[in-house]
Structures are given as C-alpha cells and as structure tokens.
Amino acid sequence: LQKKNKANFCKALMKEREREREREREREREREREREREREREREREREEREERERERERERERERERERERERKEREREREERRERERKREREREREREREREREREREKQRERERERNRERERERKREREREREREREREREREREREREREIEIEREERERERERERERERERERERERERERESIIESRVKEHKRKRERKRERKRERERERERERERERERKRERERERA
C-alpha cells in the first residue's frame, strides 16, 4: 500500500509538473505575442515619424517659397522706387529749365522795355506785348493744368503705396497665422514624444515583471528540489 501510494504520488507530481511546464509554455507564447505586438507598434511609430519628417520638409519648402516671393516683392518695390526717384529728378530738371526760361523771359521783357523807349511805335509794341502776355497766360494755364495732373499722379501713387502697405500687413497677419500653426504642430509632436516615452516605460515595466516572474519560477524550482530532497530523505 505504501508503494502504491508513493507511485500515485509520483504520478500526480509528474502530472503537476507537466501542467506547470504547459503553463510556462503558454506564458512564453504570450510573451512572444506581446513582443510581436511591440515590434508592430515600433514599426507604426517609425512610419509616423517618417511621415512627420516628410511633412516638416514640405513645410520648410513652403517657407522657402514664401521667402522667395518676399524677395521678389521687395525687388519690385525697389524698382518702383527707383523709377519714382528718376521721375522726381526729371521733374526737378524741368523745373530748373522753367526757371531759366522765366529768367530769359524777364531779360526779354527788359529788352522790350528798352525797345519801347526807343521806338516811336510804342503803342503798337504794347499791343504786341499784350498779345504775347496773353499767350504766356495761356502757357501758364497749361502749366497749371500740368501741375494739377502731376498732383493727381502723386495722389495715385500715394494710394498705391497705401494699398501696398495694406497688402504687407495682410501678409504679416498670414505669417503670424503660419507661426501659430507651427506652434500647434510642435505641441502635437511634443505630445507624441511624451507618449512614446510612456510606452517605453511601460515596456521596461513589463520586462521587469517578466524578470520577477522568472525569479518566482526559479524559486518554485528550488522549492521542488528541496521537496524531492525531503522525499528522498
């Protein structure tokens, strides 16, 4: 009977050990599935990072195009300013020419005056002079009309500059909106980085748990050895 009980005990112990080994194999299969899921998550993270880098490169290219457009706009503005400056120079030169013409006219008037003094036909000369004066008045009127035209052109240019300043303000607002979108993208990236760190920490914790499980398994194995030792004793 004692031998039979011992044989039954050994059979039960062997079955228990087989079940324990099967549970260990199942735990190992579960750990392998977990490692596969972790590898899949890692591949997903790498894909997201590649996509984010590509989006960042595209944003950089867009910023470069914007800088190029800005340089072109400044170049056009500089050319317009140069044309306006040349026009102002020409206008100053015309004004100096008019002044010289007025000076010549004053000299001619003096000459005419002397001529009238010498000429017995003073009255006829005065009539001719009046006619010339009327012509000059008409010229002055034409000059005033040209001056009014220049003022209208100046006003048009001023309005154009004002519109350009408004467009520049709008571009500045657009740049500010772009900077705000950039800050939002950076915030999203930072959140993803933090999430990645948390996942790594959970992975390390699972690894430590597996190590503790292996240590418990080794402890159980030592206990089983002690049990066998006691049985033999």
Side-chain angles (χ1 to χ4, degrees), residues 9 11-12 60 92 94 102 107 125 160 169 197:
F9 178 78
K11 287 180 182 180
E60 180 58 31
R92 289 194 292 271
R94 288 193 291 269
R102 287 192 289 271
E107 185 59 34
E125 180 61 31
E160 175 61 25
R169 288 192 289 270
K197 288 180 180 179

Side-chain angles (χ1 to χ4, degrees), residues 47-225:
R47 184 186 64 78
E48 290 178 355
E49 290 173 357
R50 285 195 301 273
E51 291 176 354
E52 181 58 30
R53 288 194 295 273
E54 180 58 30
R55 289 192 291 271
E56 180 59 28
R57 285 193 291 271
E58 180 57 30
R59 290 192 291 270
E60 180 58 31
R61 288 192 289 270
E62 180 58 30
R63 289 193 289 272
E64 180 59 29
R65 290 192 289 271
E66 177 61 26
R67 289 191 289 272
E68 180 62 25
R69 289 192 289 270
E70 182 65 16
R71 287 192 291 272
E72 291 175 356
R73 184 195 64 77
K74 289 181 179 179
E75 179 63 21
R76 290 193 296 273
E77 179 63 23
R78 184 187 63 79
E79 291 175 355
R80 285 195 294 270
E81 185 59 31
E82 288 177 354
R83 287 194 295 272
R84 289 192 289 267
E85 181 59 27
R86 288 193 295 272
E87 181 58 30
R88 287 192 290 269
K89 287 180 181 179
R90 287 193 290 269
E91 181 57 30
R92 289 194 292 271
E93 182 58 32
R94 288 193 291 269
E95 182 60 31
R96 287 192 290 271
E97 181 59 31
R98 287 192 292 271
E99 181 58 33
R100 289 191 290 271
E101 180 60 29
R102 287 192 289 271
E103 182 61 30
R104 289 192 291 270
E105 181 59 30
R106 287 191 290 271
E107 185 59 34
R108 287 193 294 270
E109 182 61 28
K110 291 176 184 178
Q111 181 63 31
R112 286 191 295 269
E113 183 59 31
R114 290 191 293 270
E115 184 63 25
R116 284 192 296 271
E117 290 174 356
R118 291 189 296 268
N119 198 339
R120 294 179 216 166
E121 300 295 327
R122 294 185 294 270
E123 184 60 33
R124 288 192 295 271
E125 180 61 31
R126 285 193 294 271
K127 287 180 183 181
R128 288 191 295 270
E129 180 59 28
R130 285 193 294 272
E131 181 58 32
R132 287 192 293 270
E133 181 60 31
R134 284 193 292 272
E135 179 57 31
R136 286 193 294 272
E137 180 58 34
R138 286 191 293 272
E139 178 60 29
R140 286 192 290 272
E141 180 59 33
R142 288 191 291 271
E143 179 60 29
R144 286 192 289 272
E145 180 59 31
R146 288 192 292 270
E147 183 64 27
R148 287 192 289 273
E149 181 62 27
R150 286 192 295 273
E151 289 175 356
R152 286 192 291 272
E153 290 176 358
I154 291 170
E155 179 63 22
I156 289 170
E157 289 181 358
R158 185 191 64 78
E159 291 174 356
E160 175 61 25
R161 288 193 296 272
E162 181 60 32
R163 285 192 292 273
E164 180 60 29
R165 285 192 290 270
E166 179 58 31
R167 288 192 290 272
E168 179 59 27
R169 288 192 289 270
E170 179 57 30
R171 286 192 291 271
E172 181 58 32
R173 289 192 288 271
E174 178 59 28
R175 288 192 289 271
E176 179 59 32
R177 289 192 288 274
E178 177 59 25
R179 288 192 289 270
E180 180 61 28
R181 289 192 290 271
E182 184 64 22
R183 287 192 290 270
E184 290 176 359
R185 287 191 291 269
E186 290 175 356
S187 177
I188 291 170
I189 291 170
E190 184 177 354
S191 299
R192 289 178 178 173
V193 170
K194 289 180 180 178
E195 178 62 21
H196 183 62
K197 288 180 180 179
R198 286 194 292 272
K199 287 180 179 179
R200 285 202 305 269
E201 180 58 31
R202 288 195 293 273
K203 182 179 178 182
R204 287 193 291 268
E205 180 58 32
R206 287 193 296 272
K207 184 177 180 181
R208 288 192 291 270
E209 179 59 29
R210 288 193 295 272
E211 184 59 32
R212 288 192 292 270
E213 179 61 27
R214 285 193 289 270
E215 181 58 31
R216 287 193 292 272
E217 180 58 28
R218 287 192 292 269
E219 180 60 31
R220 286 193 292 272
E221 184 60 30
R222 288 191 292 270
E223 181 60 30
R224 286 193 293 270
K225 286 181 180 180

